[in-house]
Amino acid sequence: MREYLLVLFVAMATTFLLTGVARQIALRYGAVAKVRARDVHKVPIPYFGGVSILGGLIAAFAVASSLPFLGDSLQVAHDGRAILIGGAVICAVGVIDDLYELDAITKLAGEVLAVGVMVVQGIQLYWLPLPGGVVSPSAALLAVLTAGILLVSCNAVNFVDGLDGLAAGVTAIGALAFFTYSYLLNVEQDLDRATTSTLITVALAGACLGFLPHNFFPARVFMGDSGALLIGLMLAASTISLTGQMDPYAVPYEVGGSSLLPALLPLVLPIAVLAIPALDLTMAYIRRTKAGRSPFAADKLHLHHRLMQRGHSHRRAVLLMYLWTILIAFGVVVLGLVLTWWTALIVLTIAVIAVVLTTGLPRRRAAAKPLSKV
């Protein structure tokens, strides 16, 4: 655990220090977020926070490779290198988009290239847990499924990047939740504790936490597409890499007695972490198509916009979405590791109460009507 804490602090410190440099570079080359009708910020904000996050990840992996615990694993070294190469490619695509605003097709092609680099080097699903047992479809099918998961995760995080500190905070929470799951699972099952998934998630959490002081409201720098696409890719890659290093039969699986959830969790947890942006995306699609508009047409009716319309401040809206992510992500981890009927009931009750209370308050008070003159 000490090695992982060191990796976390290295990623955090490196990202924190590099963000100021990245901000100056963005200002120099005009990579700034202009104020648009749908945006919340009131003044142009520089991009390139994703470059500092990538720098933090590289520094964390470099330190990990020199440690006796993490550096001795050839599998971790290979997977870490493959994931960093894919991350560098998608970060470069995001930088170009932040500078020149790429069209959707070109941007998607760059994302596919980054994902393809990772899949070709072996970062992919190797088995799928189903109710009838663990199955291993053809390599081609698993590669396509892996690419789909990676692309969805990238764009889901990019989609939720609408308020200062929101994407970085949500990703940090999700990364810590998955680190907790993968580490405790390895301890419980007496497996090798040096895995790619634990290394990626702890480094990703550190990088996001190091970026937050610059990005939390009021933000001085945005991560831009270079950061949102990168951290989405890293989050999904961490879960996918776990299936390549974990024996699916080493965790409770039988339907009679034990739960399917521990085996399903490597695939379920990313969905749980991205549940809020996924819900927002679904609601936006329904809302826009129902109104006869393009599903890609921008508006100010996203979940975070609605929270602010209900009277929540910018910071409180972000903190509420942090709370929901914590409840969902760590709730799923608890259910996966300690699944009994009463733990499920407690987790569900806490989640429902928290969501009901936080979404209902506060409301803006109606402005008092002026007294009419007699």
Side-chain angles (χ1 to χ4, degrees):
M1 178 60 76
R2 291 176 298 178
E3 289 84 354
Y4 285 123
L5 290 177
L6 176 60
V7 169
L8 183 142
F9 284 116
V10 167
M12 186 188 305
T14 304
T15 303
F16 178 81
L17 295 174
L18 289 179
T19 300
V21 178
R23 181 179 185 276
Q24 295 301 317
I25 296 174
L27 288 172
R28 180 176 180 180
Y29 289 97
V32 297
K34 299 180 176 64
V35 180
R36 299 166 297 183
R38 68 178 185 268
D39 292 326
V40 177
H41 61 280
K42 304 300 182 184
V43 296
I45 305 293
Y47 286 130
F48 285 4
V51 178
S52 63
I53 293 175
L54 178 62
L57 292 172
I58 293 173
F61 274 70
V63 169
S65 65
S66 64
L67 295 175
F69 171 64
L70 293 168
D72 292 340
S73 173
L74 296 178
Q75 184 68 48
V76 171
H78 171 270
D79 289 353
R81 183 167 54 251
I83 291 171
L84 278 182
I85 293 173
V89 172
I90 206 165
C91 184
V93 172
V95 167
I96 296 172
D97 183 59
D98 292 336
L99 285 169
Y100 304 109
E101 295 187 10
L102 299 174
D103 62 89
I105 299 300
T106 304
K107 185 176 173 182
L108 178 61
E111 295 173 16
V112 171
L113 174 62
V115 168
V117 167
M118 294 173 57
V119 172
V120 167
Q121 296 183 83
I123 306 301
Q124 67 171 66
L125 296 169
Y126 287 92
W127 49 266
L128 295 173
L130 298 175
V134 175
V135 297
S136 296
S138 66
L141 179 60
L142 288 172
V144 171
L145 182 58
T146 300
I149 293 173
L150 292 171
L151 289 172
V152 169
S153 179
C154 291
N155 289 283
V157 173
N158 195 22
F159 189 83
V160 79
D161 188 23
L163 293 180
D164 296 355
L166 183 56
V170 167
T171 303
I173 293 168
L176 288 173
F178 198 85
F179 171 78
T180 302
Y181 167 73
S182 57
Y183 185 83
L184 291 180
L185 180 66
N186 292 334
V187 171
E188 180 184 348
Q189 300 297 326
D190 196 25
L191 303 174
D192 188 0
R193 301 179 191 180
T195 63
T196 308
S197 60
T198 49
L199 176 57
I200 296 173
T201 49
V202 78
L204 180 60
C208 289
L209 291 174
F211 179 68
L212 269 177
H214 299 275
N215 185 238
F216 200 73
F217 183 81
R220 296 187 298 275
V221 62
F222 287 163
M223 66 171 61
D225 283 2
S226 62
L229 296 175
L230 171 64
I231 63 179
L233 183 70
M234 293 295 106
L235 187 62
S238 65
T239 63
I240 288 172
S241 66
L242 184 61
T243 67
Q245 295 179 298
M246 184 179 75
D247 181 358
Y249 299 100
V251 294
Y253 190 82
E254 293 79 9
V255 177
S258 296
S259 171
L260 283 170
L261 192 55
L264 285 169
L265 208 58
L267 303 180
V268 171
L269 193 51
I271 300 173
V273 171
L274 299 175
I276 301 300
L279 175 63
D280 197 11
L281 177 62
T282 303
M283 292 172 60
Y285 178 83
I286 295 173
R287 178 176 66 248
R288 293 166 185 171
T289 53
K290 188 176 180 180
R293 302 169 58 201
S294 167
F296 302 103
D299 58 32
K300 295 190 70 172
L301 296 175
H302 293 297
L303 183 57
H304 49 271
H305 291 133
R306 293 180 181 273
L307 286 174
M308 295 179 70
Q309 290 168 4
R310 295 184 68 88
H312 294 288
S313 66
H314 192 127
R315 291 185 179 185
R316 182 174 294 185
V318 172
L319 292 175
L320 285 178
M321 296 187 77
Y322 286 177
L323 173 62
W324 297 344
T325 304
I326 290 171
L327 290 172
I328 296 172
F330 282 94
V332 171
V333 170
V334 170
L335 293 179
L337 295 177
V338 191
L339 183 60
T340 62
W341 68 268
W342 59 269
T343 55
L345 181 61
I346 290 174
V347 170
L348 180 62
T349 302
I350 293 174
V352 170
I353 292 175
V355 170
V356 170
L357 290 178
T358 55
T359 54
L361 295 172
R363 292 178 183 270
R364 281 196 176 99
R365 296 180 180 178
K369 295 182 179 179
L371 296 175
S372 59
K373 295 182 180 179
V374 180

